[in-house]
Amino acid sequence: MGGTVSTQHSYDVAILRIDNPPVNALGLEVVDDLGAALAAASDDPAVRAIVVMGAGRTFVAGADIKALEGLAWGDMSGAPDMHDLFQRLEDSRKPVVMALHGTALGGGLELAMAGHYRVASADARLGQPEVNLGLIPGAEGTQRLPRLVGVQKALDMCISGRPISARDALDAGLIDGIIEGDLADGAVARARELAASPSHPRTRDRRDRLPPAATLPAMLEAGRALAAKVHRHRDAPLVAVDAIEAAATLPFDQGCRVERDLFFRVAGSDQAKALIYAFFAERAVAKVPGVPKDSSAPIASVAIIGAGTMGGGIAMACANAGLHVALIDTTQPLLDQGLATIARNYDASVARGRLTAADVGERLGRISAHSGSEPVASADLVIEAAFEDMAVKQAIFTRVGREAKPGAILATNTSTLDIDAIAAASGRPADVIGLHFFSPAHVMRLVEIVRGAGTAPATVAAALTLAKRLSKVGVVVGNAFGFVGNRLMLPYMYEAQFLVEEGATPAQVDRVLTDFGMAMGIFAVDDLAGLDVAWRVRQAHPPFPPGQRQPLVADVLCEMGRLGQKTKAGWYRYAAGRTPEPDAEVLTLIESRARDAGIERRTVTDEEISDRLILTLVNEGARALEDAVARRAADIDVIYLTGYGFPAFRGGPMFYADQRGLNDVSRRIREFHARHGARWRPAPLLERLAREGSTFREFDAQRA
Ligand code: 3H9
């Protein structure tokens, strides 16, 4: 028998156990081995029923995404055809019970639906997440799921990609029972009961859950509207609706042929390439040479110094993950204010139905407030989230360095300051690391993990483990101004300001960016963050050297008190709520400042806006790689996808550049250099890769 499936007998039941760590993904070998194990169990006269389950922590979490990556790039050799196996499972005269635990996702759920019966442990999760990879279910999922749960629920699951709980699956008819206690024993008992039945239900024969023809069009229309809304600009969710339509209107085999054609149409698309790349890039960031994979330092208690917006958000992120948090600030009123903000944020989650009042009670119960620094001594992790001022931070670290227990991790949440200077004050730089959370810290997934010159590998490992524990993505970056994210963001922001000085409007720039797929336009982002944030940064770090063009308007807006949403006016005005409205006063100000500076006003095309902004990110990204502040192009992409609203279906700025072709990117940057001067000097790394006909992906691969 093959190596990925083992057979074990319990009474007269054969248990076929899929063992392909880490997540039992279905690749060619598993499909072959399962087919062989099924044949043997079918032929064995002592076997009256069959159970299929997963070894280790999960059932099957999907088709092997590595093989699907090959497929996306034109290599068909690794992608299994599961149709035969599924047909044989369904045609088995002995009942096949699928026993699910952990996750049954994508091809895993498709496999489960090919069995006659499905049982699951109470904590199992089931879903068709293919859209997250730019795909649709391609192993009969779009044909079987509507037959089991109806078109409406199938649309919801295939469009959102979100898994459902075992309880939901039971209510929806996707599984037949929940097993409390040992899953294998429960599944075997069920299989033995069923062995006596003369025949077993085949999903493919069912039509009872499919809707009458008259109600179908409205459901599909609602599905397409939902797909366009939740996955703006993405093709796969809409294609999934087409495949489900085929399930409702065609016999099973014909529906499967439609699904197959549609699957192959999306599987080779740029969107699938980008999203699959993003899936692996997000997981690769945790693999840092020289840093142990798993941290041996368990973190259970955290002391957070500073109860402001950042400290409060970090406290929530930690409490949500089950950590005990001591929130420290200098006075009781500051602590009260911080706790009130935390309570308000939690109330909003309850109002939105994301948490129950009991969940919130539990989480708040893990946060205690302190006006003295006593909790520092016992904390496994100390996070300083005080005012962004070197003297303040150094004073805190001098004290923390003395008071924290040996082996504790000492983190600073600075966004602009030098980690080494902060670490020096602590007297124990090996323990010190930057944790650059993004606001709101309980929501945003990105944490830049800033490694100082003296940071120990074990400290980096602990920070990576913490990020995962907080359900965040930690990316290790070097200690240089702006780290990686803001280093790229600042020139992008200034380029947008130059564009409006030349004749574009903030609304046009923001529209071009959201059309490109960015979550928000840069002027709307600036207004949301507060214009004073970048203003303070500009005062400490002028954007461009003297003699180069400087942005003309942002400082003036700040001086006018137009600080963004919080003052109801910034680049836009906010007459009612948070919706930005173009403001004639700002347009006049931009025009007059530009005229005074002798800038010729002209029509700026959407294409120029898009290129000047996105290629600014690419060029600066290449420089960050040259300087080794970013380790890999994929790290930059993950930072932009998880922290800056860059569209996942484009894979990130560096992947976008690869897809466009570095030759074309470099040609365009040289044009901008000729027209706009020094700030557009092409990054030598980009020029070299373009000359060699290479890509950032190859650059990463060579470094790995
Ligand atoms: C599909 O099924 C298409 C079908 O319709 C059929 C078409 C013909 N394949 O995330 P983690 C690896 S599309 C290969 O850190 P967690 C992952 O790279 C697929 N590898 O763990 C990582 O490797 P490494 C539909 C996979 O506990 C390791 O497993 N399914 C796969 O936080 C651990 O992953 C999905 O989209 C895979 N399918 O989360 C599910 N899945 O250690 C995708 C994981 O070397 N997977 N790996 O870095 C997930 O959502 C999460 O991995 C899961 C576990 C929730 C399962």
Side-chain angles (χ1 to χ4, degrees):
M1 206 67 64
T4 63
V5 178
S6 65
T7 301
Q8 186 197 343
H9 293 91
S10 175
Y11 303 99
D12 45 7
V13 178
I15 304 173
L16 316 189
R17 214 180 288 262
I18 302 169
D19 190 1
N20 185 29
V23 296
N24 296 326
L26 281 181
L28 284 176
E29 197 186 348
V30 175
V31 170
D32 283 353
D33 291 350
L34 191 54
L38 175 67
S42 303
D43 292 346
D44 184 344
V47 170
R48 293 179 63 229
I50 297 165
V51 167
V52 178
M53 59 191 305
R57 61 177 166 131
T58 184
F59 187 68
V60 171
D64 183 350
I65 303 174
K66 268 281 161 232
L68 296 173
E69 184 178 42
L71 191 64
W73 293 91
D75 172 10
M76 306 278 286
S77 63
D81 183 347
M82 298 173 210
H83 183 71
D84 276 356
L85 172 66
F86 289 1
Q87 189 136 0
R88 284 173 47 213
L89 282 164
E90 268 200 326
D91 290 345
S92 162
R93 276 180 295 109
K94 301 175 183 177
V96 178
V97 176
M98 297 284 174
L100 319 178
H101 76 295
T103 47
L105 299 177
L109 181 56
E110 294 173 303
L111 168 67
M113 290 190 291
H116 301 123
Y117 307 95
R118 281 156 297 283
V119 293
S121 48
D123 60 357
R125 299 183 65 72
L126 295 77
Q128 299 284 179
E130 286 85 346
V131 285
N132 297 327
L133 301 169
L135 304 171
I136 65 167
E140 308 177 355
T142 61
Q143 307 304 298
R144 288 182 198 274
L145 191 58
R147 284 176 161 77
L148 287 169
V149 303
V151 163
Q152 186 69 59
K153 184 82 178 170
L155 284 168
D156 280 354
M157 288 177 68
C158 293
I159 292 169
S160 74
R162 262 198 312 275
I164 60 172
S165 66
R167 182 76 246 169
D168 273 0
L170 184 65
D171 293 345
L174 185 51
I175 60 173
D176 306 292
I178 292 180
I179 305 278
E180 308 289 348
D182 187 83
L183 179 64
D185 290 350
V188 165
R190 184 63 63 91
R192 298 188 76 201
E193 284 161 27
L194 295 164
S197 306
S199 66
H200 308 289
R202 302 194 313 179
T203 309
R204 70 172 191 256
D205 298 335
R206 283 184 60 175
R207 294 202 69 82
D208 56 301
R209 296 298 306 267
L210 296 174
T215 59
L216 184 64
M219 282 184 189
L220 296 171
E221 196 183 321
R224 289 188 174 104
L226 179 72
K229 187 168 156 226
V230 296
H231 295 291
R232 219 164 34 101
H233 304 305
R234 293 210 200 168
D235 299 330
L238 286 165
V239 176
V241 180
D242 294 345
I244 291 172
E245 179 173 11
T249 52
L250 297 173
F252 184 78
D253 284 337
Q254 279 183 41
C256 285
R257 280 198 288 278
V258 170
E259 181 198 77
R260 195 184 146 82
D261 289 348
L262 294 173
F263 176 81
F264 279 102
R265 199 169 89 199
V266 290
S269 66
D270 283 352
Q271 293 195 357
K273 287 189 186 90
L275 287 159
I276 292 173
Y277 161 82
F279 176 86
F280 286 118
E282 207 177 276
R283 280 150 187 87
V285 292
K287 293 169 192 148
V288 182
V291 170
K293 190 169 183 306
D294 290 304
S295 164
S296 54
I299 292 174
S301 59
V302 187
I304 298 175
I305 302 174
T309 312
M310 255 314 176
I314 298 168
M316 289 175 73
C318 292
N320 293 346
L323 300 172
H324 289 274
V325 179
L327 193 57
I328 301 172
D329 215 319
T330 44
T331 67
Q332 195 56 44
L334 286 173
L335 285 167
D336 291 344
Q337 215 178 321
L339 289 175
T341 307
I342 291 174
R344 241 193 341 271
N345 287 337
Y346 274 134
D347 285 348
S349 301
V350 174
R352 276 191 225 110
R354 298 213 176 117
L355 292 177
T356 63
D359 294 333
V360 168
E362 233 174 71
R363 291 163 199 223
L364 281 174
R366 292 192 203 109
I367 303 177
S368 57
H370 306 260
S371 54
S373 69
E374 302 76 34
V376 166
S378 58
D380 301 319
L381 164 69
V382 181
I383 303 178
E384 165 278 312
F387 192 66
E388 188 76 349
D389 178 285
M390 182 56 91
V392 171
K393 297 207 187 248
Q394 283 184 322
I396 291 174
F397 270 79
T398 304
R399 185 155 179 187
V400 166
R402 266 199 317 265
E403 292 178 0
K405 66 184 180 187
I409 309 294
L410 313 182
T412 167
N413 176 52
T414 180
S415 50
T416 51
L417 301 176
D418 176 9
I419 304 290
D420 292 336
I422 297 173
S426 76
R428 42 197 276 196
D431 299 335
V432 176
I433 195 151
L435 289 180
H436 181 209
F437 286 86
F438 287 68
S439 192
H442 58 293
V443 176
M444 296 295 289
R445 290 176 68 222
L446 176 64
V447 185
E448 282 184 313
I449 297 175
V450 191
R451 191 176 189 165
T455 308
T459 306
V460 180
L464 283 164
T465 305
L466 174 79
K468 177 120 190 171
R469 170 98 191 257
L470 302 187
S471 302
K472 297 194 183 296
V473 180
V475 185
V476 179
V477 297
N479 177 29
F481 175 70
F483 310 131
V484 172
N486 287 341
R487 175 189 176 137
L488 274 61
M489 172 55 54
L490 289 168
Y492 164 90
M493 185 170 86
Y494 295 130
E495 198 64 28
Q497 295 179 16
F498 292 149
L499 282 160
V500 296
E501 290 167 11
E502 289 164 36
T505 63
Q508 183 194 3
V509 169
D510 281 0
R511 177 186 48 76
V512 169
L513 289 171
T514 51
D515 284 353
F516 180 83
M518 299 295 292
M520 283 174 83
I522 180 62
F523 290 104
V525 167
D526 208 7
D527 275 356
L528 179 65
L531 269 59
D532 48 330
V533 174
W535 193 24
R536 270 199 304 275
V537 173
R538 266 195 306 280
Q539 279 155 1
H541 301 268
F544 298 100
Q548 275 192 36
R549 180 174 174 183
Q550 306 291 333
L552 302 172
V553 180
D555 285 357
V556 184
L557 291 175
C558 292
E559 283 152 15
M560 290 163 72
R562 298 186 65 117
L563 302 181
Q565 277 193 26
K566 62 186 165 193
T567 58
K568 296 198 171 309
W571 290 102
Y572 297 100
R573 65 193 173 97
Y574 298 84
R578 294 160 160 268
T579 311
E581 293 164 27
D583 189 339
E585 192 184 349
V586 174
L587 301 182
T588 310
L589 173 72
I590 295 169
E591 268 178 48
S592 82
R593 292 285 159 153
R595 207 179 30 248
D596 293 351
I599 295 168
E600 187 196 331
R601 304 272 295 168
R602 62 194 170 85
T603 302
V604 183
T605 65
D606 290 357
E607 193 217 356
E608 177 176 350
I609 292 172
S610 170
D611 276 359
R612 277 178 59 186
L613 295 181
I614 305 302
L615 300 190
T616 293
L617 295 176
V618 174
N619 204 30
E620 194 59 33
R623 289 202 192 108
L625 284 171
E626 283 161 12
D627 296 351
V629 177
R631 241 166 19 84
R632 284 180 295 214
D635 289 3
I636 299 175
D637 284 335
V638 171
I639 287 171
Y640 266 73
L641 297 177
T642 55
Y644 291 85
F646 200 93
F649 68 85
R650 295 195 190 271
M654 312 314 275
F655 186 82
Y656 165 80
D658 276 357
Q659 287 300 88
R660 181 163 163 174
L662 294 191
N663 242 321
D664 184 44
V665 167
S666 136
R667 178 192 55 77
R668 196 75 169 124
I669 289 177
R670 274 185 269 116
E671 270 172 38
F672 292 145
H673 186 210
R675 210 169 336 134
H676 302 287
R679 72 177 188 279
W680 275 102
R681 185 181 59 81
L685 172 66
L686 173 64
E687 290 289 85
R688 172 168 74 75
L689 295 176
R691 238 187 354 263
E692 293 169 355
S694 185
T695 58
F696 288 112
R697 279 178 84 217
E698 283 174 25
F699 171 81
D700 279 1
Q702 277 160 15
R703 285 203 153 180

